[in-house]
Amino acid sequence: MSEPLGKMWSGRFREPLDVAFEAWQRSFPFDWRLLPQEIAASKAHARMIAAAGILTENELAVMLRGLDAVISSEMDRAAKGHGRAAPAMVASSPAEDVHHFVELELTQQIGELALKLHTGRSRNEQIATDMRLFVRDAIDATLNKLQAWMKALIDQARKAGDAAMPSYTHLQRAEPVLVAHWLLAYVSMIERDYSRFVDARKRLNLCPLGSGAVAGATLALDRRIAADVLGFDGPTPNSMDATSDRDFALEFTQAASVLGIHISRFAEELTLYSTAEFGFLDLPETFSTGSSAMPQKKNPDLTELARGKSGRLLGSVVTLSTLIKGLPLAYNKDLQEGQEPVFDTVDTLDGILQVLPGFTAALRFRFDRMQAAAESGFLNAMAAATYLVHKGVPFRKAHEKVGNAVRYCVDKGCELGDLTLDELKQFGAEFEDDFFADVTLKATLDCHDVIGGTAMRQVKVALAAAKERLAALSGAVHAGA
Ligand code: ARG
């Protein structure tokens, strides 16, 4: 390299780049975040070329030390802390991208030897590797945070005990459920999300290094060396696919977007339940804000923002899918556009999951109001029909008879349990004295005595099982946390 700050590809060019174009096509303003991954991948590559006889043992040692020195602790912190603001050194560098930056800085550190690092490799395989490493770290961090949210929900479910609330279908009161049962519904969603990330991680964990620009490295590198050093399960099997594949990024954003959808449903419910109309919970002041105009307001900003940000998570999926779908094999510069949606997903998810467990733990439910709501509005009508079924009435007829009784109660302004036996008999001769015990709140809950149902004993079992599954997940430590 004749001048130290030259491009990585200037040899065949006679004219300098258009200034605006040069600035516009650079990725360093955002891909500097891949610096820790780029250094790790470069060290792995250095080991491979040393094993292939390109570097002596001593040169390898110098190069590894030099690469470590390129990333200052400040940059490492900024990159890992999902900083959106680049440290000064990064901001002032003329580098085209993170790969160029490392080469320039390494030259400063160790001189001419640095220029041997790019032997037998291409930025196409480097960016593919850096992104895999970055997404892998992001998945590990997400898994750990999901455990925290799951724990907060399980703790709330335990604290809710036998408290009941209405369940809704069509947002109309349907049947009573235990508050714990409702909370555990979200635990089920999180567990599916969790497994989606784990699954994506398995498919991601192959190493593109050694794939070259498109056809494979031009040196007989032992690709298993790099794969091992970087904690991959092995090398990718096809160089054309490896240098242009971004499925792992797409899958990560897809899993994040489904998680976002679940968070958004939770957020929507809590927003509703915190209204005066529902009054099922008091918003924690530590996670709410006031209004600059209306002094009485306590607004559910956290749940509203979480609901809003889920749209953004889906946006990344759309960007990536659209980006990838028309690309001929193999690498195309379009792929550079695939980085920012991933970064945005990581930052967005990181932000939400940083506040959601604390918010969930701070929720205080108004069990009295929930219970009262569960006791009115004929939530025991299905239990009443089931009572008749036990008396031998076919369900369709039982449904009709209870429906008639409900209509009568609506006119009268009372609940089914308030009717006298004589009144009930107008709707069916099968009604007897034992009817009243079968339509209490407790009986209405407990008649759902099936696996996954809301009967108290079933929910107790479900809660214990959820706790066990969480303990098993916590046992599996995720590296990047
Ligand atoms: N900054 C580029 C990217 O993110 C790195 C790969 C460049 N490769 C190339 N052949 N120009 O995709």
Side-chain angles (χ1 to χ4, degrees), residues 163-179 181-182 273 280 370-371 373-386 395 438 440-441 443-450 452-455:
M165 67 185 282
S167 66
Y168 299 84
T169 61
H170 314 271
L171 205 51
Q172 304 289 326
R173 280 187 197 174
E175 293 186 275
V177 289
L178 290 186
V179 175
H181 193 57
W182 165 65
Y273 291 169
F280 287 179
M370 293 172 118
Q371 184 99 359
E375 270 169 338
S376 61
F378 311 105
L379 277 75
N380 54 1
M382 246 170 88
T386 307
F395 181 75
D438 269 23
T440 61
L441 179 60
T444 307
L445 288 163
D446 280 344
C447 73
H448 299 89
D449 194 7
V450 290
T454 198

Side-chain angles (χ1 to χ4, degrees), residues 378 380 409 414-420 424 435-436 439-440:
F378 311 105
N380 54 1
C409 289
C414 69
E415 293 287 324
L416 288 170
D418 300 330
L419 296 178
T420 64
L424 282 165
F435 171 76
F436 300 98
V439 294
T440 61

Side-chain angles (χ1 to χ4, degrees), residues 14-27:
R14 283 204 197 95
E15 294 195 60
L17 284 188
D18 175 89
V19 175
F21 169 65
E22 171 162 34
W24 177 74
Q25 57 88 44
R26 288 175 75 216
S27 53

Side-chain angles (χ1 to χ4, degrees), residues 303-378:
T303 52
E304 291 171 292
L305 262 182
R307 198 174 53 191
K309 283 185 191 285
S310 72
R312 195 164 159 160
L313 292 173
L314 180 59
S316 294
V317 177
V318 175
T319 304
L320 277 174
S321 326
T322 318
L323 182 74
I324 297 165
K325 83 170 186 53
L327 291 186
L329 284 174
Y331 177 83
N332 297 268
K333 184 102 168 188
D334 313 41
L335 290 172
Q336 185 167 290
E337 283 296 300
Q339 296 181 26
E340 286 167 291
V342 171
F343 296 156
D344 192 65
T345 288
V346 168
D347 293 340
T348 303
L349 212 51
D350 185 57
I352 300 177
L353 292 178
Q354 221 152 68
V355 292
L356 204 53
F359 171 78
T360 304
L363 288 173
R364 292 292 165 260
F365 295 106
R366 299 278 315 270
F367 292 125
D368 53 333
R369 301 236 349 167
M370 293 172 118
Q371 184 99 359
E375 270 169 338
S376 61
F378 311 105

Side-chain angles (χ1 to χ4, degrees), residues 100-228:
H100 189 203
F101 176 79
V102 169
E103 196 170 291
L104 295 176
E105 291 300 314
L106 189 62
T107 308
Q108 299 292 317
Q109 296 285 342
I110 63 171
E112 284 276 309
L113 176 61
L115 306 182
K116 285 196 175 180
L117 177 59
H118 210 57
T119 316
R121 76 171 182 176
S122 155
R123 285 184 291 165
N124 299 352
E125 59 179 309
Q126 285 171 253
I127 188 61
T129 306
D130 294 355
M131 288 296 286
R132 281 186 192 236
L133 290 171
F134 185 86
V135 170
R136 192 176 69 184
D137 283 352
I139 289 177
D140 290 341
T142 305
L143 291 177
N144 284 292
K145 293 204 187 89
L146 276 183
Q147 286 179 23
W149 188 31
M150 195 169 154
K151 180 174 185 316
L153 284 164
I154 289 176
D155 284 348
Q156 285 287 10
R158 182 183 44 77
K159 278 196 230 151
D162 288 343
M165 67 185 282
S167 66
Y168 299 84
T169 61
H170 314 271
L171 205 51
Q172 304 289 326
R173 280 187 197 174
E175 293 186 275
V177 289
L178 290 186
V179 175
H181 193 57
W182 165 65
L183 290 165
L184 288 176
Y186 285 99
V187 171
S188 288
M189 291 182 224
I190 298 177
E191 289 187 73
R192 288 197 298 277
D193 291 321
Y194 196 97
S195 74
R196 259 184 286 274
F197 284 113
V198 169
D199 202 42
R201 192 191 196 283
K202 276 185 216 140
R203 266 187 298 280
L204 162 158
N205 208 30
L206 293 174
C207 185
L209 286 188
S211 297
V214 53
T218 49
L219 289 171
L221 300 177
D222 181 354
R223 297 186 56 203
R224 284 165 309 190
I225 297 176
D228 282 353

